């Protein structure tokens, strides 16, 4: 049993040595050119995206205003604000002749 | 006599890249390509090193605006490299491209021969052989992607739990538990191999 454990530990040590001593591949010029080409493409894409879309701050302002308008509308509907009713109730506070043109004797 | 030209600091190059001078990135690439390849080569098969190292530099370029500079750029790059290897294995396992391969008879007889070597030098002489690479893939291919990374870093490379946790983006407790379980699992597979069951599966 002990012998088994020793042999397993030796395999583990061998694995560690394999990992440590395997020679790493040398970077080639072609590989480097390929990486740089991809990076230049990425930079161009980013540049294009930045120039096409307006500044982020403008987007943020527009979105904030849209959300605020939506909230105000929802609240107004929720408290039962109806413009026509409001105007009629204001008119009803005045004598009838003020709200009816024919009462001026025209 | 004039002073020899000073090579720019990493931070200076990063600032130039961020200011839009993309070609300056070549300086970083040339400076660290061998370093990144050496890290990546420890965790992925030789055939995949170039592909993963390329991903590391692309990811680095994309993430440059988030580089704070509290720690050296080299450490940050090592972190990106290790995580790219982890991602590589997760992708491979998802696509089921990691085969639970059987070991050839010649690898098993090579292993017996390698184990009979007594010294570290004898081990090292055997480590560069084709069979060594096969053995590594056989042994680690039986672990999950995260356990594979953890057992390689903690047990085979001898990194600390804390360092491993930081490089992989896991908690130290998680790494500790995984390291223990994964090593147990690895030893079980080696036991099977030594008993002659590994080749039959």
């Amino acid at each position: 049993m002990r012998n088994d454990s020793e042999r397993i530990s030796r395999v583990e040590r061998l694995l560690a040595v394999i990992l440590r001593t395997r020679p790493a591949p040398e970077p080639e010029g072609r590989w480097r050119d390929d990486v740089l080409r991809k990076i230049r493409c990425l930079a161009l894409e980013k540049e294009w995206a930045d120039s096409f879309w307006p500044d982020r701050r403008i987007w943020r302002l527009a979105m904030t205003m849209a959300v605020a308008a939506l909230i105000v509308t929802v609240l107004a509907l929720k408290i039962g604000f109806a413009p026509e009713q409001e105007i009629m109730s204001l008119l009803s506070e005045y004598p009838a002749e003020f709200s009816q043109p024919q009462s001026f004797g025209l | 006599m004039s002073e020899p030209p000073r090579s720019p600091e990493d931070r200076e190059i990063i600032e130039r890249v961020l200011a839009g001078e993309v070609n300056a990135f070549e300086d970083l690439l040339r400076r660290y390509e061998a370093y990144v390849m050496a890290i990546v080569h420890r965790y992925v098969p030789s055939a995949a090193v170039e592909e993963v190292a390329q991903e590391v530099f692309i990811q680095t370029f994309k993430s440059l605006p988030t580089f704070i500079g509290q720690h050296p750029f080299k450490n940050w790059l090592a972190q990106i490299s290790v995580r790219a290897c982890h991602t590589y294995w997760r992708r491979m396992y998802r696509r089921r491209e990691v085969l639970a391969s059987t070991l050839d008879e010649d690898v098993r007889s090579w292993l017996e021969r390698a184990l009979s070597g007594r010294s570290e030098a004898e081990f090292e002489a055997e480590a560069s052989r084709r069979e060594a690479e096969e053995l590594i893939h056989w042994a680690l291919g039986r672990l999950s992607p995260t356990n594979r990374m953890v057992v390689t870093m903690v047990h085979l490379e001898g990194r600390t739990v804390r360092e491993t946790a930081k490089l992989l983006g896991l908690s130290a407790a998680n790494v500790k538990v995984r390291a223990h379980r994964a090593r147990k699992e690895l030893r079980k597979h080696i036991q099977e191999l030594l008993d002659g069951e590994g080749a039959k599966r």
Side-chain angles (χ1 to χ4, degrees):
Chain A
M1 193 67 188
R2 197 180 155 204
N3 194 26
D4 268 3
S5 171
E6 220 168 79
R7 274 166 66 79
I8 293 171
S9 299
R10 283 177 68 77
V11 176
E12 279 186 309
R13 250 183 64 212
L14 179 65
L15 291 176
V17 172
I18 294 171
L19 275 183
R20 206 183 57 232
T21 55
R22 277 190 317 164
E26 286 290 315
E28 289 174 15
R30 199 166 45 92
W31 173 85
R32 191 181 301 129
D33 292 343
D34 211 25
V35 177
L36 288 172
R37 189 176 48 79
K38 284 189 178 166
I39 282 175
R40 283 187 193 115
C41 280
L42 273 176
L44 276 177
E45 273 173 27
K46 191 177 174 296
E47 202 177 295
W48 180 83
D50 288 350
S51 64
F52 186 79
W53 297 103
D55 194 303
R56 272 193 192 165
R57 281 170 298 181
I58 297 174
W59 277 110
R60 216 172 290 155
L61 181 67
M63 288 300 288
T64 311
M65 286 174 73
V67 170
L70 189 70
I71 291 170
V72 168
T73 310
V74 169
L75 283 177
L77 289 173
K78 210 168 182 182
I79 60 173
F81 175 78
E84 274 179 34
Q85 276 178 12
E86 288 294 311
I87 293 164
M88 291 313 288
S89 69
L90 277 173
L91 288 174
S92 68
E93 287 173 17
Y94 292 91
E97 58 265 30
F98 286 114
S99 55
Q100 290 168 1
Q102 62 269 33
S103 66
F104 288 100
L106 296 172
Chain B
M1 224 171 91
S2 63
E3 279 184 27
R6 185 182 64 94
S7 61
E9 295 285 327
D10 292 343
R11 161 114 345 246
E12 290 171 40
I13 302 174
I14 292 167
E15 276 167 12
R16 274 163 55 203
V17 175
L18 290 176
E21 200 184 322
V22 185
N23 289 338
F25 193 81
E26 188 173 352
D27 294 343
L28 284 179
L29 181 66
R30 282 182 185 276
R31 193 173 285 182
Y32 291 110
E33 59 189 4
Y35 174 70
V36 167
M37 280 204 173
I39 294 176
V40 169
H41 189 246
R42 282 186 230 152
Y43 307 111
V44 304
S46 304
V49 171
E50 289 196 347
E51 177 201 331
V52 178
Q54 192 175 81
E55 277 172 30
V56 169
F57 280 106
I58 289 172
Q59 190 54 49
T60 304
F61 178 74
K62 283 184 185 167
S63 310
L64 266 189
T66 65
F67 175 66
I68 305 165
Q70 273 180 331
H71 301 291
F73 176 71
K74 206 174 175 179
N75 296 5
W76 190 62
L77 198 57
Q79 206 169 38
I80 295 177
S81 305
V82 169
R83 289 183 193 181
C85 295
H86 189 199
T87 306
Y88 167 83
W89 283 120
R90 279 191 296 191
R91 200 168 56 226
M92 288 292 120
Y93 278 68
R94 219 173 20 242
R95 287 192 208 151
R96 303 192 186 284
E97 286 183 24
V98 178
L99 302 171
S101 60
T102 55
L103 276 183
D104 291 340
E105 202 50 49
D106 53 341
V107 178
R108 289 165 47 74
S109 50
W110 165 82
L111 178 63
E112 286 300 328
R113 210 173 51 243
L115 289 180
S116 65
R118 295 275 162 211
S119 66
E120 196 83 347
E122 281 173 300
F123 263 14
E124 282 186 19
E126 295 292 345
S128 58
R129 293 174 62 96
R130 173 191 61 87
E131 290 91 340
E133 182 105 7
E134 276 189 44
L135 178 69
I136 278 276
H137 291 311
W138 180 88
L140 298 176
R142 275 158 170 72
L143 308 175
S144 72
T146 309
N147 284 359
R148 177 186 194 127
M149 292 299 292
V150 168
V151 92
T152 308
M153 296 173 83
V154 176
H155 292 304
L156 303 181
E157 288 187 330
R159 289 181 190 268
T160 62
V161 166
R162 206 168 146 201
E163 191 186 2
T164 306
K166 198 177 170 203
L167 285 168
L168 284 172
L170 301 170
S171 70
N174 191 346
V175 169
K176 216 169 180 176
V177 171
R178 279 180 183 276
H180 178 71
R181 284 190 193 153
R183 189 180 186 194
K184 218 169 146 187
E185 203 185 332
L186 180 67
R187 285 178 73 88
K188 196 185 100 196
H189 292 309
I190 295 172
Q191 169 83 67
E192 286 169 5
L193 173 69
L194 293 175
D195 290 345
E197 290 167 29
K200 288 174 202 159
R201 291 205 301 163

